Amino acid sequence: MSLNAIIVEDEANSREILRNYIAKYCTSINLLGEASSIKEAKILIEANKLDLVFLDVEMPFGNAFDLLDQLPDRTFETVFVTAYDHYAKDALNNHAAYYLTKPINIDELINAVAYVENVREKEANLEGVVLSTKSNGVEGKLTLPQQDGFQVLNIAEILYCKADDNYTEIYLLNKKILVSKTLKYFEDALNEYPFARVHKSFLVNVNEVVKYRKGKGGSVVMSNGKEVMVSASKKKEFLSYFN
């Protein structure tokens, strides 16, 4: 698939090298422009519908993270390109798709673009489409501890679970159950079933997801109409449940 992209890099020589590598080795990239500063980059990003931004970390009057902070609702993927490897943790925390160090390794560049292609293709296939629910039957029961004993629940009936401090709200089609266990407890308990931790506060039954809406992380619509946010750090894992 074609990816609309820009290069954000303050050094002209580095922009030229990356531009030439992209033209020669990454033919799926449709390069829409280049920016040498945060201000120029923000203008370019807001003026175009982008899939990917190649982003240098250190620039005049700020850095890459300052730019990303100004774009909280971004929908594009980010590939960091920098001479410094000590920014890797910050890049991870900003949900970078890939982290390239200079001088750029061509194979790594190709891998970075292939990774973004894969993510965007899955997003495009899922976005706004009514997904096939209950493609794989879920058989099993879950025991929920209660003050006067326990309740036995069919796992297939669970739509999603929501964290509430040290409690968890379990949502069924027509009711909600509050249990004095953490969301991590249920994540572990349902590990063998098609349940995905899509956010720090949500664990969803993948068979009950009917739509995906792309974004920085995106969101999913459940079979009861509830929209649940997907965090950027959990997006890759969630998309892996779908072909």
Side-chain angles (χ1 to χ4, degrees), residues 102-227:
K102 301 174 185 177
I104 296 172
N105 179 288
I106 294 171
D107 288 335
E108 285 296 298
L109 173 62
I110 293 171
N111 288 339
V113 171
Y115 173 84
V116 174
E117 284 178 332
N118 181 259
V119 170
R120 299 304 271 190
E121 185 172 3
K122 285 185 175 181
E123 285 185 330
N125 289 339
L126 295 179
E127 184 185 11
V129 174
V130 176
L131 303 176
S132 176
T133 61
K134 299 182 177 63
S135 55
N136 297 304
V138 176
E139 295 184 3
K141 295 183 182 296
L142 185 66
T143 302
L144 305 179
Q146 296 182 334
Q147 287 185 343
D148 59 349
F150 61 86
Q151 178 179 354
V152 179
L153 190 67
N154 289 323
I155 292 175
E157 296 177 14
I158 300 172
L159 304 186
Y160 60 93
C161 303
K162 180 182 178 183
D164 183 6
D165 292 328
N166 290 323
Y167 290 81
T168 297
E169 298 173 354
I170 298 179
Y171 285 80
L172 311 179
L173 185 60
N174 296 312
K175 67 176 180 177
K176 175 181 71 174
I177 303 171
L178 184 65
V179 183
S180 58
K181 293 287 186 181
T182 65
L183 188 61
K184 181 65 168 62
Y185 171 87
F186 288 103
E187 183 180 12
D188 293 338
L190 297 168
N191 182 55
E192 296 181 5
Y193 300 94
F195 281 77
R197 185 74 175 264
V198 296
H199 189 277
K200 66 180 181 179
S201 298
F202 289 99
L203 178 71
V204 303
N205 182 345
V206 175
N207 287 334
E208 296 294 337
V209 174
V210 296
K211 285 186 181 181
Y212 172 78
R213 293 171 178 160
K214 70 180 181 181
K216 179 182 175 183
S219 64
V220 292
V221 178
M222 306 304 296
S223 58
N224 65 346
K226 168 70 176 181
E227 185 170 4

Side-chain angles (χ1 to χ4, degrees), residues 54-65:
F54 293 97
L55 186 57
D56 186 19
V57 175
E58 293 194 342
M59 289 176 287
F61 311 109
N63 61 32
F65 308 114

Side-chain angles (χ1 to χ4, degrees), residues 33-49:
E34 300 176 11
S36 60
S37 68
I38 289 175
K39 183 177 180 180
E40 291 178 2
K42 191 169 185 290
I43 292 171
L44 261 182
I45 290 168
E46 291 176 343
N48 294 281
K49 186 175 181 180

